[in-house]
Amino acid sequence: MRKTLLFFFSAVLLFAACSKEPVSDAEWVNTSFTVETDAAATKTVGDASRIDDLTVLAYDKAGNYLDYIAFTCIYNGDGRFSARGRLVRGVEYTLLFFAAEQQVYDLHTDGTLTFSDFGQLNDGARDAFSAVKKVVGGESASLSVSLKRPFALLRILSSQADQAAAQAKGRTSGVKCQVVLDKVPNKMNLLTGAVEGSAQASFDQVSAYSAPELAFAFLPAGESKIYINGVVTVTADTFTSVRNIANIPLRRNCQTKLEGDFLTTEGSLDITLETN
């Protein structure tokens, strides 16, 4: 009998130790957030206009995902959201906010995104914004969060001189672009900003976006600058230009511009990395 009781009490204590969920409803406090994309990061071809879905994931101080913390998120238009949920008073959390178009990305509960493919060129649906915020339950009933782009924005542009020369040669319509990139990360951790992997991102030929913009793409990138290689093929009627470009810099929440002669000769090409 004594062994049975000891086993019973040990089981109860073990269950209590493993239970994540708070015992009393009185420990919960309502918390709301106003969430919006960083306006400065939307003044390019990636205008965030298709982002309409917000996910909020909660983690404890040790980085464990808390499946019992849930937030209701509402899209308010123009890159703005509201999020409401309940936290435990006095408990510190790390909250991950991720906004994208619905069903484009599969955000894992460990805060990572993996990429088996990188979508298409000139696709605004591949844009996304995120933020990580530490909060303590009950310290504030209402908080604001500004989201920034966790990706690099790669832009391929025809220079003014290139456009003028193309105009003179009648190469202004039917322009198409194809891009193949090497050394692109295929996994990123939104909680830490770290990226992993080295994959090939092959983008099929598409019509040029809008002069001078030939193509753009959103690519995984970390806090530190990395370099990739690429091949950009541009066609216009019977003309074809193939540019092999090495050491293309990428960094999250920044844009990389490849601007030069794509419609005429394989002449000048400027590579710049700009913060948004």
Side-chain angles (χ1 to χ4, degrees), residues 50 87 119 134 147 155 206 219 254:
R50 296 180 61 171
L87 302 175
K134 292 186 181 296
L147 307 180
R155 302 176 64 191
V206 297
L219 301 170
C254 295

Side-chain angles (χ1 to χ4, degrees), residues 156-166 169 171 175 212 214 232-235 239-245 258-271:
I156 300 169
L157 304 104
S158 170
S159 66
Q160 288 186 347
D162 187 48
Q163 292 175 71
K169 294 177 180 294
R171 297 174 186 161
V175 179
L214 299 178
V232 178
T233 303
V234 176
T235 62
F239 173 81
T240 299
S241 171
V242 180
R243 305 297 301 264
N244 290 275
I245 308 169
L258 308 179
E259 186 171 11
D261 296 338
F262 289 102
L263 296 173
T264 50
T265 65
E266 295 185 6
S268 65
L269 177 66
D270 293 327
I271 303 176

Side-chain angles (χ1 to χ4, degrees), residues 72-187:
T72 299
C73 301
I74 299 173
Y75 178 54
N76 298 319
D78 297 326
R80 296 177 293 108
F81 299 85
S82 57
R84 294 179 177 83
R86 298 198 305 168
L87 302 175
V88 179
R89 189 182 304 278
V91 175
E92 182 180 307
Y93 300 92
T94 296
L95 300 182
L96 171 60
F97 298 82
F98 181 71
E101 183 174 338
Q102 293 185 48
Q103 300 180 342
V104 173
Y105 292 105
D106 183 14
L107 175 61
H108 305 304
T109 56
D110 63 356
T112 62
L113 294 172
T114 55
F115 301 83
S116 56
D117 69 79
F118 298 86
Q120 297 181 335
L121 293 172
N122 304 339
D123 186 1
R126 301 294 297 186
D127 204 358
F129 288 77
S130 69
V132 176
K133 191 175 185 69
K134 292 186 181 296
V135 299
V136 176
E139 284 197 351
S140 178
S142 181
L143 300 166
S144 61
V145 180
S146 178
L147 307 180
K148 296 184 181 297
R149 181 178 286 132
F151 301 142
L153 173 57
L154 177 66
R155 302 176 64 191
I156 300 169
L157 304 104
S158 170
S159 66
Q160 288 186 347
D162 187 48
Q163 292 175 71
Q167 180 78 33
K169 294 177 180 294
R171 297 174 186 161
T172 57
S173 61
V175 179
K176 297 183 183 297
C177 187
Q178 180 183 20
V179 179
V180 177
L181 304 172
D182 284 321
K183 300 183 180 180
V184 180
N186 57 6
K187 182 177 181 179

